[in-house]
């Protein structure tokens, strides 16, 4: 069967026999994807057994709540970022903003809010993981600081696990919303994250293994940054020195999104950050682009957990 015959068949079964109201956008997408699938079945000689294996895999993926994990794992989420970058360039979005990168599946809405500063960890890893200060400035691309910008931060613990999904952690551990102070600054006191690994027995890792791939991410910290008159930024920094920095199963590492860690232990540093023992330090600033009538929308609607 050639593509013409396939398209005719798809049309006969899913377009011509419509008797109710048609959502034309859904229709065009379904018709295109079915045509592409039928063509792939023909071209690759996909057998009934292989087809059902694939369909059962999709069912397992949903049942394990890993759709949002496979999507970055296959590069689909990063691909959408690259498309958005191209759309921004086309639309003439101002240059110099902090690069976007994928949200991933582990954001939880409803984290505690504060102004300027937050302690993010619940103390459970005190003496186990290094203390980490993360701070920076939110500004426009010209460096004008943005007070009252909403900085949502979330990251993993020392096992690479995220609260809410990991029920051994306290509610909202390592998740906070910090509004920048009058100087556009945010500061977080937290613990060093460790890179995430896909559940070894889950469907995502099962497919990655069939592709000869690992399911590891470098150590990283996620952000949503929102400010009036600016485009919402979804991004993360990945931490220099991690063996997976440029071998991220989710392809989130990008130039401009690499954080370097400093060691701080001087009496002045301890005093400035109100700490009594040596700590790790990351400075990470953000530059937001102006929201104009022609700039593409950066808000992504997707199902998210609510803590
Ligand atoms: C993560 O922590 C993550 O950021 C992504 C993209 C996928 C899985 C786990
Ligand atoms: Fe993550």
């Amino acid at each position: 069967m050639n593509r013409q015959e396939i398209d005719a068949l798809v049309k006969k079964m899913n377009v011509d026999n419509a008797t109710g109201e048609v959502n034309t956008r859904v229709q065009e997408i379904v018709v295109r994807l079915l045509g592409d699938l039928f063509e792939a079945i023909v071209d690759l000689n996909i057998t009934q057994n292989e087809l059902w294996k694939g369909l059962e895999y999709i069912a397992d993926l949903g049942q394990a709540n890993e759709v949002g994990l496979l999507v970055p794992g296959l590069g689909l989420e990063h691909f959408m970022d690259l498309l958005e970058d191209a759309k921004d360039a086309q639309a003439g979005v101002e240059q110099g903003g902090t690069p976007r990168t994928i949200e991933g599946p582990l954001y939880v809405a409803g984290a505690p809010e504060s102004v300027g500063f937050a302690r993010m960890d619940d103390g459970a890893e005190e003496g186990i993981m290094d203390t980490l200060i993360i701070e920076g400035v939110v500004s426009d691309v010209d460096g004008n600081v943005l007070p009252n910008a909403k900085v949502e931060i979330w990251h993993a613990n020392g096992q690479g696990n995220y609260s809410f999904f990991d029920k051994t952690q306290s509610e909202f551990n390592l998740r906070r919303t910090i509004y920048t102070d009058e100087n556009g600054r945010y500061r977080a006191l937290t613990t060093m994250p460790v890179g995430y690994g896909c559940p070894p027995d889950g469907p995502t890792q099962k497919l990655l293994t069939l592709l000869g791939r690992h399911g590891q991410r470098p150590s990283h910290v996620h952000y949503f940054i929102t400010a009036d008159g600016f485009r919402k930024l979804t991004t993360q920094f990945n931490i220099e020195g991690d063996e997976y920095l440029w071998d991220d199963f989710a392809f989130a590492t990008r130039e401009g999104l690499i954080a370097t860690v400093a060691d701080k232990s001087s009496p002045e540093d301890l005093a400035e950050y109100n700490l009594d023992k040596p700590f790790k330090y990351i400075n990470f600033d953000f530059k937001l682009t102006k929201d104009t009538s022609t700039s593409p929308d950066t808000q992504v609607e997707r199902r998210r957990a609510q803590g």
Side-chain angles (χ1 to χ4, degrees):
M1 223 187 280
N2 64 31
R3 184 63 189 243
Q4 252 189 342
E5 293 167 312
I6 285 170
D7 286 343
L9 184 63
V10 169
K11 184 167 175 289
K12 194 170 87 171
M13 295 191 290
N14 289 292
V15 176
D16 294 345
N17 59 358
T19 53
E21 198 187 326
V22 173
N23 181 318
T24 54
R25 180 60 176 163
V26 170
Q27 184 186 64
E28 80 173 337
I29 292 170
V30 167
V31 162
R32 171 58 187 269
L33 291 181
L34 278 175
D36 287 355
L37 174 62
F38 290 10
E39 187 180 6
I41 289 172
V42 172
D43 287 353
L44 302 177
N45 250 310
I46 295 173
T47 65
Q48 298 225 40
N49 291 353
E50 288 171 330
L51 176 64
W52 283 107
K53 261 225 157 30
L55 296 171
E56 287 153 10
Y57 178 81
I58 293 171
D60 291 346
L61 195 66
Q63 212 143 34
N65 197 22
E66 286 194 8
V67 172
L69 190 57
L70 183 68
V71 165
L74 295 180
L76 178 51
E77 204 170 344
H78 179 58
F79 170 73
M80 297 307 285
D81 278 345
L82 296 176
L83 285 186
E84 291 300 326
D85 288 352
K87 277 190 216 165
D88 283 0
Q90 191 99 48
V93 168
E94 57 187 352
Q95 301 286 300
T98 300
R100 59 162 55 83
T101 198
I102 63 170
E103 173 180 335
L106 303 174
Y107 172 80
V108 177
E113 302 190 351
S114 56
V115 176
F117 172 84
R119 177 171 178 173
M120 297 181 67
D121 71 294
D122 63 5
E125 294 187 305
E126 231 162 60
I128 300 169
M129 297 307 295
D130 285 326
T131 296
L132 171 66
I133 292 280
I134 306 169
E135 69 177 352
V137 177
V138 180
S139 71
D140 68 11
V141 298
D142 300 317
N144 301 301
V145 302
L146 299 175
N148 201 36
K150 184 180 188 181
V151 179
E152 295 178 82
I153 313 178
W154 69 104
H155 69 79
N157 70 1
Q159 319 254 44
N161 294 326
Y162 287 75
S163 65
F164 184 88
F165 303 96
D166 169 13
K167 297 300 183 192
T168 72
Q169 293 182 50
S170 65
E171 199 184 22
F172 293 117
N173 190 37
L174 312 179
R175 301 178 182 278
R176 287 296 183 274
T177 296
I178 304 173
Y179 290 89
T180 55
D181 67 14
E182 64 277 10
N183 300 312
R185 303 197 66 88
Y186 75 95
R187 179 185 287 180
L189 166 62
T190 190
T191 49
M192 208 57 188
V194 164
Y196 172 95
C198 289
D201 300 324
T204 299
Q205 187 56 59
K206 184 174 169 185
L207 179 55
L208 292 173
T209 300
L210 291 170
L211 296 172
R213 296 184 48 202
H214 67 71
Q216 300 299 128
R217 295 217 52 213
S219 179
H220 62 279
V221 174
H222 295 266
Y223 289 84
F224 285 152
I225 317 253
T226 325
D228 275 350
F230 293 84
R231 303 200 309 152
K232 176 178 176 179
L233 175 65
T234 300
T235 196
Q236 34 175 302
F237 62 69
N238 287 266
I239 299 177
E240 194 169 66
D242 192 294
E243 65 172 308
Y244 293 105
L245 182 64
W246 289 109
D247 187 22
D248 176 5
F249 100 99
F251 312 101
T253 309
R254 307 188 76 174
E255 293 295 349
L257 295 178
I258 296 166
T260 54
V261 183
D263 285 297
K264 300 244 187 204
S265 59
S266 74
E268 297 76 29
D269 286 333
L270 296 181
E272 176 170 356
Y273 295 95
N274 203 16
L275 294 171
D276 57 11
K277 53 180 175 3
F279 60 98
K280 305 283 182 190
Y281 176 86
I282 289 173
N283 186 276
F284 209 84
D285 298 339
F286 298 93
K287 286 188 167 18
L288 301 185
T289 52
K290 283 200 182 67
D291 194 6
T292 70
S293 58
T294 54
S295 53
D297 188 8
T298 57
Q299 302 254 13
V300 177
E301 280 175 47
R302 57 184 283 183
R303 207 175 285 172
R304 295 183 175 94
Q306 168 77 48

